[in-house]
């Protein structure tokens, strides 16, 4: 587990991040009151490759945490059951992502939850890109702002993907 705690800033200087690749499981990046910045040029992948042996990886931004930048893919290259949780207990969290894909090619059952937070996506949002059974949930106090971006709901071989707004 890697943590960015209150008052901490992780400046990625345009770098990419991959959590769980080629069989990696249970990897967590926790931003609890801290900030991750300058991910602008970098891709962020939560679960990649592994022909369904890569699963259970997550990024959690909570308790006033902040995230700025990056094209985020939750589940890519055959991974599954990966998680991007934005917000939760404590102070409201804020963030801006360049783009978000929940469920990349052949990567089923991935999740994004936004609660007690504002997440802005500036250049496109895809739910199920050649994959199925992915879920995006916006819960109480959560705002998912697509900022005039294109929203793609299921592309290619994608079925049973769900967008749930529950008091968000």
């Amino acid at each position: 587990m890697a943590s960015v705690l209150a008052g901490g800033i992780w400046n990625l200087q345009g770098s990419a991040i991959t959590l769980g690749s080629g069989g990696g499981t249970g990897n967590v990046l926790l931003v609890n009151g801290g900030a991750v910045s300058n991910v602008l040029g970098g891709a962020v992948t939560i679960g990649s490759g592994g022909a369904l042996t890569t699963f259970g990886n997550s990024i959690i931004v909570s308790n006033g945490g902040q995230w700025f930048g990056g094209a985020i893919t939750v589940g890519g290259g055959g991974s599954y059951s990966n998680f991007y949780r934005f917000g939760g207990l404590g102070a409201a969290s804020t963030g801006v992502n360049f783009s978000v894909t929940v469920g990349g090619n052949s990567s089923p059952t991935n999740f994004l939850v936004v609660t007690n937070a504002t997440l802005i996506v500036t250049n496109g949002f895809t739910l199920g890109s050649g994959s199925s059974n992915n879920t995006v949930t916006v819960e109480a106090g959560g705002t998912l702002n697509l900022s005039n971006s294109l929203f793609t709901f299921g592309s290619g071989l994608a079925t049973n993907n769900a967008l749930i707004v529950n008091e968000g």
Side-chain angles (χ1 to χ4, degrees):
M1 174 190 281
S3 298
V4 182
L5 303 177
I9 299 173
W10 186 11
N11 183 339
L12 289 169
Q13 299 179 349
S15 297
I17 300 173
T18 299
L19 284 133
S21 178
T25 63
N27 299 289
V28 178
L29 171 56
L30 174 64
V31 182
N32 184 7
V36 174
S37 68
N38 293 320
V39 194
L40 298 175
V44 178
T45 305
I46 307 168
S48 175
L52 297 178
T53 62
T54 301
F55 59 90
N57 301 289
S58 59
I59 291 179
I60 301 167
V61 180
S62 63
N63 199 22
Q66 300 175 334
W67 186 284
F68 299 104
I72 294 190
T73 300
V74 185
S79 67
Y80 68 99
S81 292
N82 299 291
F83 194 64
Y84 183 24
R85 181 169 184 93
F86 209 87
L89 298 175
S93 298
T94 57
V96 179
N97 293 137
F98 178 70
S99 64
V100 173
T101 299
V102 179
N105 193 34
S106 300
S107 298
T109 320
N110 296 286
F111 306 91
L112 166 63
V113 175
V114 180
T115 183
N116 190 31
T118 297
L119 179 59
I120 300 169
V121 180
T122 62
N123 196 40
F125 189 100
T126 302
L127 174 55
S129 177
S131 65
S132 301
N133 302 315
N134 299 288
T135 304
V136 172
T137 305
V138 181
E139 295 180 344
T143 300
L144 178 59
N145 181 342
L146 298 183
S147 188
N148 293 320
S149 299
L150 176 64
F151 177 64
T152 303
F153 195 108
S155 67
L157 298 174
T159 61
N160 297 322
N161 294 294
L163 171 63
I164 302 166
V165 180
N166 183 19
E167 296 184 36

